Amino acid sequence: MYLNCHSYHSLRYGTIPLTELVQMAAACGVKAMALTDINTVTGIYDFIKECQAVNIKPIVGIEFRYHNKLLYIGLAKNAAGLAEMNRFLTQHNFDKTPLPAQAPEFHNVSILYPVENVPDIFRDFEFLGMRPEQLPLLFHPVWKSKLDKMVVLQPVTFRTKKEFNLHKILRAIDTNIILSKLTEADYCRTSETMIPLEDLLGKFSDYPQIIENTESIIAQCNFEFEFKTPKNKTYYTDSGENDMQLLTSLAHEGMLKIYGDTDFLAQARVEKELKVIDELKFSGYFLITWDIIQYSNSMGFMHIGRGSGANSIVSYCLGITDICPIELDLYFERFLNLNRKSPPDFDIDWSWKERDIILEYIFNRYGRDHVAFCGTNVEFKYRSIFREVGKVFGLPKEELDALAKNPMQLHDNNSVVALVQKYGMLLEKYPNQRSMHSCGILISEEPITNYTVLEMPPKGFPIVLFDMHIAEGIGFEKFDILSQRGIGHIDDTVKLLRKNRGIEVNIRNTALSKNEAKCNEFLSTGKTIGCFYIESPAMRGLLRRLKCDNYKILVAASSIIRPGVAQSGMMKEYIFRHNHPDQFEYFHETFQEHLGETYGIMVYQEDVIKIALHFAGVPASDGDVLRRAMSGKGRSMAALQKVKDNFFACCEQKGHPLALSQEIYRQIESFAGYSFCKAHSASYAVESYQSLYLKVHYPIEFMVAVINNQGGFYRTEVYVHEAKMSGGIINTPCVNKSEYEATIYGIEVYLGLMQLEGLDSKTAHRIIAERNRDGEYQSLEDFINRIPIGIEGIQILIFIGAFRFTGQTKNQLLVIARLILVNFKPENRNLMLLQEPVKEYNLPVLERSPFEDAFDEIELLSFPVSCSPFDLLQTKYRGDVLAKDLLKYHKGTVKMLAYLISRKHVPTKRGTMYFGTWIDAEGEFFDTAHFADSLQKYPFQGGGCYLLLGTVEVDYHFPTITITKMAKMPFIPDPRYSNSTDRQYKAHQQIKEDVSMTHRAPYPQEVNLPRHKMSE
């Protein structure tokens, strides 16, 4: 009888989580119910499962509303009915047209109208929903005449009075008004809750025909869904047999090319994998991925295939991945096996500049009716909760900021704040809005609207209304089409070399970079700024501690840097064992046999599965539950607990001591959500090596490419510094030399017009287009004549030195610009200039401080180019020690002068600490540690130069200074404002620093791994 139930997927309207809605229905004796969330089908598949678990007949539907006005409720009689509604709503979502007041001509849908929107004539599939409180209307003949079309309408939106208040708060958030401004039309009625079924039937006891009509609709609604059948595009060709034939042919072709015809190990591996792929019917998935890669290659794009797909030699032979699984002992079973029914997982990265072209190809190649992005539910989070709920209660912005930024214990203690906290906490984990998954693409055999409504976000690619977990649960295998700037760095460097120097670098030849001695030297000393995944201070420190000088160590380093490994103490122990391989014992022979490559330490997800299988003897399915929990895909804590219990039971059966089993499980548990699979780490390591190779051999071009891809871990200034340290001559933007992005002529680097703060991109592009069309600008007058630009834009270009080719000083250029432009309106300027000859101006030569340019650059670029930040200091002191000498000062106290690059916030049980990264006066990098007690007395005070005093700690070849005192050193006053004391230090505030905040609780104290064999 409940044909109109809302869950919290009725965004900013419903208040009941889906599971609890069904449980409530079961408690009320409900035998059939409909989920009709507002303009969405997000929850219907979970709803079906929940109903089946408690023997309730699930009916799926949609409540159609426009601008919060209820128009009608649609109930699907079958799968075709859901598809009809999905297509109808999708079309309006795409066209952005209002929904009609009357439903279209549905064939497999029952439509219920509310009393407030009754059609003149009811069609066969249309009915009138009567709420219990509306039954008195039937005393009127007009309404009584419609009795044969009436059904029970008891909407469900909330459970309790508190939830009704929460519903009103949600409505106020949705309509962006304060609570007191809500009208009755904005929120639901107080009766919209679930009552026991017999009580509901009792309300309609005088009208048995209404009950019969309702039961008839329920009987007609028989939506059946097969969750286990695959929903992806079934075949790449026209049949499974032809798919397998093509895949086999391509795999053998690639194998011969890579391994030759005498590598019997590779041949056996290929045949084994093909057999499993065939049995699991995944050949189409492989071929579609191969097809996308073929298109990418035809366009000259670079891609990186990573994730567990790199465990497959077939993937390697097809060119999907660049990892040889035999070389790294990657086992295919981690990717696909006959016991694992979940879909394969290819993660393919492209440059962020080229990804949209790949997406367009996929949508066009496989049909826009069959392709869509996965959706995501964006939940109410801590900051947004208090800000949104606080607004509803009318709090001013200052109080909203305080609520959002501070923990609850620091909130004001008053009645309004108490209400904000009370209802805000109820909203935690509630969906707030739908969004697009960052990379997951679904390619469906049937039109995708058979399963879901689609929405069209601003990005321009349609999204389904459910997330990746539901997609997988109903039989979809997503294709992960990702983008990253690291590939852009590599790809753009190769293009720059081809364009500017005529050099061809086959960077896809991974052997080129991995076996290069100079690359390994840079790697072992942490000279990796700009290189994908290995440029952060933490990673550079790890590389130095390991003296990492080969591919396999880098693969391990890529995984042990992850928080889960670091938290467990495994990273610390790995570093020790790597440096002292003769000072530990494997604490069980299983670890020596299966984890010898990583010194008996679990580093990869596969290692956990190996130990669970070989030490405990747990079933393979349990090992997969552990793996999926570690990778963030395990959604059921109950399932994980069951596996944990079984792990200890199996260990006991094998006769392992409890202490040993507990220690091993502690190591397993510490991985939760953070560790990489080995293939993933290997893929990252390949890309790291590719970028490192380019940095080592073509450093200036590489750093220009990093700058043009808008950096990586650090801000642009750091990469400009690296280009300068590599021998590049850095120039500020020039209207005749610069492009929109940075460009290079030999060793001369010209920063791009995009780097200029305040110059809009349209003007920047117009400057370049005009220059390409009609040649270089001859003078400032010529530039003004050709480019429509105001005095503000001209001043930006003058101050940055963009007209230095004229030989005139900035002051002279400013005078000329003002004389030309001051009396002209922009729309008349070109006409006037064409009519009047350019005048000659006799201008005085004005003296300029040599540092005025530097402050212009700070103001417009946020960093100086014409000099070093150290040149702007009031002091000539440069410290007693330089970074290159720190290894000599272990346990010694040093005083250094340094420029702040970045700092990393780390919460600890003793309070906040930071790790700092700096450059010294010679431009070399070094690192510091700042503990809570030091920071209280000597805090960071923004970007700039500091005098540092601290103790050097050399930890496995890597020096860090533990700071005891520091002071920010004053720069000279801005010489441009020598007569204006209030502006002499304004530009200094634009000098930046990179700050990385960590939003997590402090790690628990590390538990050291045993270094001696544990007895049985």
Side-chain angles (χ1 to χ4, degrees):
M1 293 296 149
Y2 286 94
L3 301 183
N4 185 206
C5 298
H6 304 111
S7 75
Y8 63 6
H9 288 300
S10 290
L11 300 181
R12 296 182 293 280
Y13 193 96
T15 65
I16 311 173
L18 202 56
T19 302
E20 294 170 34
L21 175 66
V22 176
Q23 289 171 348
M24 181 173 66
C28 287
V30 173
K31 302 302 180 189
M33 66 184 295
L35 182 68
T36 55
D37 279 318
I38 298 170
N39 294 343
T40 188
V41 293
T42 301
I44 62 171
Y45 297 105
D46 283 345
F47 170 72
I48 291 168
K49 291 179 180 177
E50 295 286 350
C51 284
Q52 289 172 344
V54 293
N55 294 317
I56 291 177
K57 180 179 180 178
I59 302 169
V60 300
I62 301 174
E63 180 175 295
F64 294 93
R65 286 182 178 244
Y66 185 70
H67 287 171
N68 195 42
K69 181 184 177 183
L70 172 58
L71 301 175
Y72 31 85
I73 299 150
L75 304 175
K77 295 179 181 180
N78 47 39
L82 177 64
E84 284 185 276
M85 289 191 290
N86 288 343
R87 279 191 268 280
F88 165 66
L89 190 51
T90 295
Q91 193 60 52
H92 285 281
N93 286 343
F94 283 14
D95 295 344
K96 296 184 170 34
T97 52
L99 292 170
Q102 188 170 8
E105 188 73 33
F106 288 127
H107 301 288
N108 296 279
V109 177
S110 294
I111 291 291
L112 315 183
Y113 288 95
V115 165
E116 296 78 13
N117 186 36
V118 181
D120 296 331
I121 300 172
F122 286 93
R123 291 168 285 183
D124 290 344
F125 61 93
E126 294 178 324
F127 301 87
L128 176 60
M130 290 296 289
R131 297 170 182 253
E133 63 268 26
Q134 293 170 334
L135 288 174
L137 291 173
L138 293 180
F139 290 112
H140 195 289
V142 171
W143 290 101
K144 195 165 186 178
S145 67
K146 304 179 192 296
L147 193 62
D148 64 326
K149 279 289 186 178
M150 288 184 186
V151 296
V152 174
L153 183 63
Q154 174 58 38
V156 177
T157 302
F158 63 93
R159 288 174 288 191
T160 62
K161 183 178 179 181
K162 182 192 279 190
E163 277 195 6
F164 178 67
N165 292 336
L166 182 65
H167 163 75
K168 291 175 74 173
I169 288 169
L170 286 168
R171 298 305 305 130
I173 291 172
D174 189 55
T175 53
N176 197 28
I177 57 176
I178 62 173
L179 202 56
S180 60
K181 296 287 186 182
L182 282 178
T183 66
E184 287 188 4
D186 293 321
Y187 53 86
C188 74
R189 304 185 189 190
T190 55
S191 60
E192 292 192 15
T193 188
M194 191 172 280
I195 58 177
L197 181 60
E198 58 186 57
D199 292 354
L200 179 61
L201 292 173
K203 292 176 183 287
F204 288 85
S205 58
D206 293 337
Y207 302 98
Q209 189 175 358
I210 295 179
I211 295 174
E212 288 172 16
N213 292 342
T214 309
E215 289 173 340
S216 175
I217 284 181
I218 291 172
Q220 291 174 35
C221 291
N222 294 293
F223 182 87
E224 294 181 358
F225 191 83
E226 179 51 63
F227 286 90
K228 294 183 179 178
T229 58
K231 307 299 187 299
N232 271 48
K233 180 173 173 58
T234 310
Y235 308 123
Y236 174 74
T237 60
D238 56 357
S239 69
E241 184 179 323
N242 287 338
D243 272 6
M244 202 59 218
Q245 188 176 345
L246 177 58
L247 181 65
T248 302
S249 172
L250 291 169
H252 286 159
E253 183 184 323
M255 179 186 68
L256 285 171
K257 186 177 177 182
I258 296 168
Y259 296 101
D261 57 3
T262 58
D263 193 326
F264 302 113
L265 181 62
Q267 290 174 21
R269 172 93 177 229
V270 168
E271 296 307 321
K272 171 189 166 186
E273 290 192 15
L274 286 171
K275 184 179 178 183
V276 174
I277 292 167
D278 190 23
E279 288 191 45
L280 292 174
K281 301 189 186 324
F282 283 143
S283 55
Y285 186 91
F286 273 77
L287 288 170
I288 291 171
T289 307
W290 167 81
D291 173 65
I292 295 167
I293 297 304
Q294 289 300 106
Y295 173 74
S296 172
N297 291 342
S298 75
M299 296 294 290
F301 297 164
M302 181 179 175
H303 78 276
I304 302 287
R306 56 180 176 83
S308 60
N311 287 61
S312 163
I313 196 170
V314 172
S315 306
Y316 184 44
C317 291
L318 264 61
I320 296 171
T321 62
D322 284 323
I323 305 299
C324 172
I326 295 175
E327 178 190 359
L328 288 175
D329 190 27
L330 304 176
Y331 58 105
F332 180 63
E333 290 75 13
R334 163 62 181 83
F335 178 51
L336 283 181
N337 61 72
L338 295 176
N339 294 320
R340 179 190 173 197
K341 302 303 182 185
S342 55
D345 184 19
F346 287 119
D347 294 336
I348 315 291
D349 288 315
W350 278 270
S351 166
W352 62 285
K353 296 177 180 179
E354 296 166 347
R355 176 177 179 248
D356 282 0
I357 300 172
I358 297 295
L359 291 174
E360 282 290 345
Y361 171 75
I362 295 169
F363 276 86
N364 293 333
R365 170 74 171 80
Y366 296 100
R368 291 182 177 266
D369 291 340
H370 296 261
V371 185
F373 267 91
C374 272
T376 58
N377 280 322
V378 181
E379 298 172 341
F380 281 100
K381 299 291 196 307
Y382 184 90
R383 285 174 178 260
S384 65
I385 286 174
F386 289 121
R387 197 175 292 283
E388 295 284 4
V389 178
K391 273 166 59 180
V392 166
F393 283 95
L395 295 179
K397 183 181 182 301
E398 309 79 58
E399 292 188 43
L400 295 176
D401 291 342
L403 290 176
K405 292 176 182 177
N406 294 315
M408 284 178 61
Q409 59 266 31
L410 297 181
H411 288 179
D412 287 344
N413 186 17
N414 61 56
S415 59
V416 175
V417 170
L419 285 171
V420 172
Q421 292 175 340
K422 174 183 174 181
Y423 288 104
M425 286 300 92
L426 291 176
L427 283 180
E428 216 169 14
K429 300 297 181 185
Y430 271 44
N432 180 27
Q433 57 189 0
R434 284 183 291 274
S435 185
M436 174 189 279
H437 189 279
S438 60
C439 60
I441 298 282
L442 306 180
I443 303 178
S444 174
E445 175 67 22
E446 298 180 18
I448 209 155
T449 47
N450 283 6
Y451 308 104
T452 176
V453 176
L454 300 176
E455 289 182 348
M456 185 66 77
K459 183 74 175 170
F461 296 110
I463 61 170
V464 302
L465 299 192
F466 46 72
D467 63 22
M468 57 180 281
H469 299 295
I470 294 174
E472 185 178 312
I474 66 176
F476 277 108
E477 301 133 24
K478 66 181 172 65
F479 295 78
D480 285 334
I481 308 298
L482 303 105
S483 68
Q484 48 152 284
R485 296 187 187 276
I487 293 177
H489 300 167
I490 296 167
D491 204 30
D492 283 3
T493 305
V494 171
K495 289 173 182 174
L496 274 173
L497 288 168
R498 183 184 303 129
K499 177 184 174 184
N500 292 345
R501 295 171 59 179
I503 295 174
E504 287 289 342
V505 179
N506 182 15
I507 201 63
R508 298 184 191 191
N509 177 6
T510 56
L512 184 74
S513 54
K514 284 192 295 188
N515 301 324
E516 218 277 339
K518 196 172 180 184
C519 289
N520 286 329
E521 179 191 331
F522 270 54
L523 193 66
S524 66
T525 52
K527 294 179 180 177
T528 54
I529 298 289
C531 297
F532 173 75
Y533 200 69
I534 55 173
E535 66 165 334
S536 71
M539 193 65 183
R540 289 187 297 107
L542 177 59
L543 295 174
R544 292 182 67 178
R545 288 182 175 97
L546 295 174
K547 280 196 173 177
C548 177
D549 63 355
N550 65 70
Y551 175 54
K552 288 193 175 182
I553 297 173
L554 181 58
V555 172
S558 298
S559 190
I560 66 172
I561 195 69
R562 301 284 288 175
V565 192
Q567 175 184 347
S568 67
M570 293 184 193
M571 180 171 78
K572 182 179 177 182
E573 187 62 19
Y574 182 93
I575 295 169
F576 173 84
R577 295 185 184 191
H578 178 75
N579 283 280
H580 305 289
D582 56 343
Q583 294 183 26
F584 74 94
E585 297 175 333
Y586 291 93
F587 59 90
H588 192 273
E589 52 267 18
T590 304
F591 286 74
Q592 185 169 9
E593 181 181 352
H594 295 284
L595 304 182
E597 185 182 287
T598 54
Y599 314 109
I601 295 169
M602 284 184 275
V603 167
Y604 312 111
Q605 290 174 7
E606 291 92 334
D607 296 342
V608 177
I609 300 170
K610 286 178 185 176
I611 295 305
L613 291 172
H614 297 292
F615 175 80
V618 301
S621 57
D622 277 11
D624 196 48
V625 172
L626 276 172
R627 182 199 67 76
R628 292 175 69 75
M630 289 184 300
S631 62
K633 295 179 182 178
R635 302 169 71 200
S636 170
M637 291 309 294
L640 190 56
Q641 184 62 45
K642 184 179 176 183
V643 172
K644 180 178 180 179
D645 294 341
N646 192 41
F647 174 87
F648 283 105
C650 290
C651 288
E652 189 176 0
Q653 281 181 2
K654 283 207 158 194
H656 296 311
L658 180 61
L660 176 61
S661 303
Q662 285 175 333
E663 165 58 23
I664 290 171
Y665 196 83
R666 179 196 74 80
Q667 295 179 28
I668 291 173
E669 211 167 28
S670 71
F671 270 62
Y674 292 111
S675 62
F676 276 171
C677 72
K678 188 175 182 180
H680 197 94
S681 295
S683 303
Y684 270 22
V686 166
E687 187 177 346
S688 298
Y689 258 115
Q690 288 171 322
S691 56
L692 180 60
Y693 179 86
L694 295 171
K695 176 184 171 70
V696 168
H697 294 285
Y698 311 103
I700 305 175
E701 285 85 358
F702 178 72
M703 296 321 304
V704 168
V706 174
I707 292 165
N708 288 342
N709 282 272
Q710 294 162 43
F713 186 87
Y714 306 97
R715 62 189 182 274
T716 299
E717 176 185 6
V718 178
Y719 303 114
V720 170
H721 169 75
E722 276 290 282
K724 189 183 295 185
M725 294 289 286
S726 301
I729 299 170
I730 311 300
N731 297 278
T732 55
C734 169
V735 295
N736 276 341
K737 294 286 189 180
S738 291
E739 302 293 334
Y740 185 68
E741 298 178 329
T743 192
I744 182 170
Y745 304 91
I747 61 170
E748 297 260 356
V749 176
Y750 281 83
L751 297 179
L753 296 177
M754 66 179 284
Q755 259 91 44
L756 279 176
E757 294 180 17
L759 186 71
D760 68 271
S761 61
K762 285 184 180 178
T763 300
H765 284 295
R766 189 180 289 122
I767 290 169
I768 297 158
E770 169 63 24
R771 185 183 74 211
N772 290 340
R773 185 173 56 248
D774 291 330
E776 291 189 352
Y777 302 101
Q778 301 304 307
S779 62
L780 175 60
E781 292 91 337
D782 180 41
F783 178 85
I784 294 172
N785 193 31
R786 292 162 62 181
I787 301 295
I789 188 171
I791 188 65
E792 294 83 5
I794 284 289
Q795 286 182 165
I796 289 170
L797 292 169
I798 289 173
F799 284 133
I800 205 60
F803 298 103
R804 54 190 175 277
F805 65 89
T806 64
Q808 293 167 309
T809 68
K810 291 182 180 180
N811 293 332
Q812 290 171 331
L813 289 166
L814 283 170
V815 172
I816 293 170
R818 289 191 174 116
L819 286 171
I820 295 173
L821 291 177
V822 73
N823 294 320
F824 287 85
K825 295 179 180 178
E827 61 270 23
N828 296 332
R829 182 174 62 246
N830 288 348
L831 179 65
M832 297 295 288
L833 283 169
L834 286 169
Q835 290 175 340
E836 295 181 9
V838 174
K839 295 178 182 177
E840 292 288 333
Y841 301 100
N842 294 317
L843 301 170
V845 177
L846 301 175
E847 291 296 322
R848 278 178 64 86
S849 160
F851 294 120
E852 285 190 44
D853 286 345
F855 281 96
D856 284 339
E857 292 152 9
I858 290 170
E859 199 167 271
L860 295 171
L861 299 171
S862 80
F863 57 90
V865 172
S866 54
C867 69
S868 157
F870 293 93
D871 297 330
L872 300 178
L873 287 169
Q874 293 184 17
T875 179
K876 300 297 181 185
Y877 177 70
R878 294 295 179 262
D880 297 340
V881 176
L882 293 169
K884 64 185 179 184
D885 299 318
L886 285 175
L887 286 171
K888 304 173 187 175
Y889 287 87
H890 181 48
K891 298 296 183 183
T893 299
V894 295
K895 188 190 289 186
M896 299 184 70
L897 191 73
Y899 182 63
L900 180 58
I901 297 300
S902 67
R903 54 187 169 107
K904 167 75 174 174
H905 164 262
V906 179
T908 72
K909 289 186 175 181
R910 296 183 178 180
T912 289
M913 73 166 292
Y914 281 94
F915 290 106
T917 299
W918 312 75
I919 57 171
D920 68 9
E922 290 187 344
E924 297 294 333
F925 289 84
F926 69 95
D927 296 86
T928 57
H930 305 250
F931 291 95
D933 53 350
S934 168
L935 286 169
Q936 285 180 351
K937 295 179 182 177
Y938 306 103
F940 285 94
Q941 295 178 300
C945 292
Y946 288 72
L947 185 63
L948 306 172
L949 182 71
T951 305
V952 179
E953 302 285 343
V954 179
D955 182 37
Y956 300 107
H957 334 292
F958 176 61
T960 303
I961 306 173
T962 301
I963 297 300
T964 51
K965 293 182 180 180
M966 72 174 180
K968 189 173 180 182
M969 303 299 284
F971 282 148
I972 60 172
D974 187 340
R976 301 172 304 167
Y977 300 109
S978 55
N979 297 323
S980 176
T981 54
D982 59 326
R983 299 190 66 180
Q984 281 187 322
Y985 292 93
K986 191 173 181 182
H988 304 59
Q989 297 166 14
Q990 292 176 246
I991 294 176
K992 295 181 179 178
E993 56 172 335
D994 296 320
V995 183
S996 302
M997 298 301 294
T998 307
H999 301 288
R1000 59 163 172 79
Y1003 282 155
Q1005 190 166 351
E1006 292 178 359
V1007 180
N1008 292 326
L1009 273 70
R1011 286 182 186 161
H1012 300 284
K1013 187 172 183 177
M1014 295 184 74
S1015 63
E1016 285 281 355

